Amino acid sequence: MNEPIPVIRAVDRGTAKLLPDVDRERAWLLTVDGAPQSYVDLDDPAHLEFEYVRRLAHVVDCAARDGEPLTVLHLGGGGCTLPRYVAATRPGSAQCVVEADAGLLALVAEWLPIPDGSGITVRNADARRWLEAAPARSVDVLIADVFGGSRVPAHITSVEYAREAARVLRPDGIYAANLADGAPFDFLRSQLATFAAVFEESALIAEPGVLRGRRFGNAVLVASRGPVDTAALARRSASDAFPARVEHGASLRRFIGSAAVVRDSGAVPSPRPPEGAFSIG
């Protein structure tokens, strides 16, 4: 049997590589300019390799009863790992994936095709513009995993953006975002303050070493206008193969401290990761 070989292609925002996993027959790692973007196992869509994707999946898992279909909007697509997971674990879900990089979408469609009948629709568009045009109260879960290279773009960090997210979510809907930062957490604190200004409930999921400032890394922001089942999130996060901690309530308010709300006029991208923080050769 022929061994799969890496696929290298120029996309809109850099050089994409699809690297086969030698341990899993039809699994691929997608990178752009060396930064990991997605890991997809075509034979096992419920297999989640990246820590932050597992934490986003915990949020989806706790959003409704097991197996109950959801309407999910994904801002940022990559290899569509999480949409595939939702389709596998919650059949009948209606999902829309919005990805700005047309070249990346073409690569994924060719090498990592989404199965027919999955309920996943993929659109080539800017995340903020798509959100602003989306119908009000139309989504159960909104996942933001938008990166320009290895940085979160400024236009999806502001309170104006957060208000659009709240408008599109149903009253008990949940927002979850993949963010990246390191001590002293100026960006992460400002994001938490910004979403707390719009949503009544919020939480943060992160690996303890990241929260203690030992390394730069991913953190998942969770926000809702209704109650968030932080106890269930904490159980799932703590028992995961990559254990994480859930901060909420008073401890989260202490973490936010005096951080200011971000507005469009002063929004900036997330910080550039230290050399080698996310790169894979």
Side-chain angles (χ1 to χ4, degrees):
M1 187 174 71
N2 291 330
E3 295 264 342
I5 61 173
V7 178
I8 303 173
R9 185 174 298 176
V11 295
D12 297 5
R13 300 187 177 184
T15 300
K17 293 183 182 179
L18 278 173
L19 307 172
D21 186 337
V22 296
D23 296 320
R24 301 178 75 93
E25 187 175 344
R26 292 210 306 150
W28 298 82
L29 171 68
L30 170 66
T31 70
V32 177
D33 289 343
Q37 297 291 318
S38 302
Y39 179 100
V40 175
D41 188 331
L42 295 172
D43 292 328
D44 184 6
H47 176 75
L48 304 177
E49 190 80 7
F50 290 178
E51 296 178 28
Y52 82 85
V53 178
R54 296 172 72 92
R55 288 162 196 157
L56 290 171
H58 295 330
V59 176
V60 176
D61 290 342
C62 294
R65 292 188 299 272
D66 288 351
E68 183 176 317
L70 293 169
T71 301
V72 186
L73 174 59
H74 302 262
L75 301 180
C80 297
T81 306
L82 193 61
R84 298 171 200 263
Y85 172 86
V86 175
T89 58
R90 296 180 177 276
S93 293
Q95 301 186 81
C96 178
V97 179
V98 180
E99 170 59 56
D101 192 320
L104 186 60
L105 286 179
L107 176 66
V108 169
E110 180 180 350
W111 287 91
L112 308 174
I114 294 171
D116 293 338
S118 64
I120 300 170
T121 303
V122 180
R123 298 286 184 251
N124 176 215
D126 174 79
R128 172 82 177 259
R129 290 178 184 171
W130 183 274
L131 186 66
E132 290 170 346
R137 299 191 172 196
S138 59
V139 170
D140 296 311
V141 180
L142 200 169
I143 304 289
D145 187 12
V146 183
F147 279 76
S150 55
R151 306 176 74 184
V152 179
H155 69 307
I156 63 159
T157 67
S158 67
V159 70
E160 291 89 347
Y161 161 79
R163 289 178 187 136
E164 287 298 321
R167 180 187 64 81
V168 170
L169 282 166
R170 291 174 178 144
D172 59 349
I174 295 178
Y175 176 89
N178 175 35
L179 305 174
D181 200 4
F185 300 113
D186 292 340
F187 175 75
L188 187 55
R189 294 179 202 272
S190 73
Q191 286 305 283
L192 289 162
T194 298
F195 279 80
V198 175
F199 292 89
E200 286 79 3
E201 300 289 335
S202 57
L204 182 69
I205 313 172
E207 191 267 323
V210 172
L211 289 175
R212 293 188 186 115
R214 293 177 181 169
R215 65 180 180 88
F216 191 99
N218 296 94
V220 171
L221 180 157
V222 182
S224 178
R225 284 172 292 178
V228 174
D229 192 347
T230 51
L233 268 180
R235 286 193 298 271
R236 288 179 180 269
S237 300
S239 62
D240 192 86
F242 305 100
R245 202 165 75 209
V246 176
E247 299 289 349
H248 63 97
S251 67
L252 188 62
R253 288 192 291 274
R254 285 194 297 272
F255 182 82
I256 295 170
S258 60
V261 170
V262 177
R263 304 191 182 280
D264 276 340
S265 58
V268 296
S270 65
R272 194 178 304 278
E275 189 70 29
F278 296 132
S279 296
I280 300 182

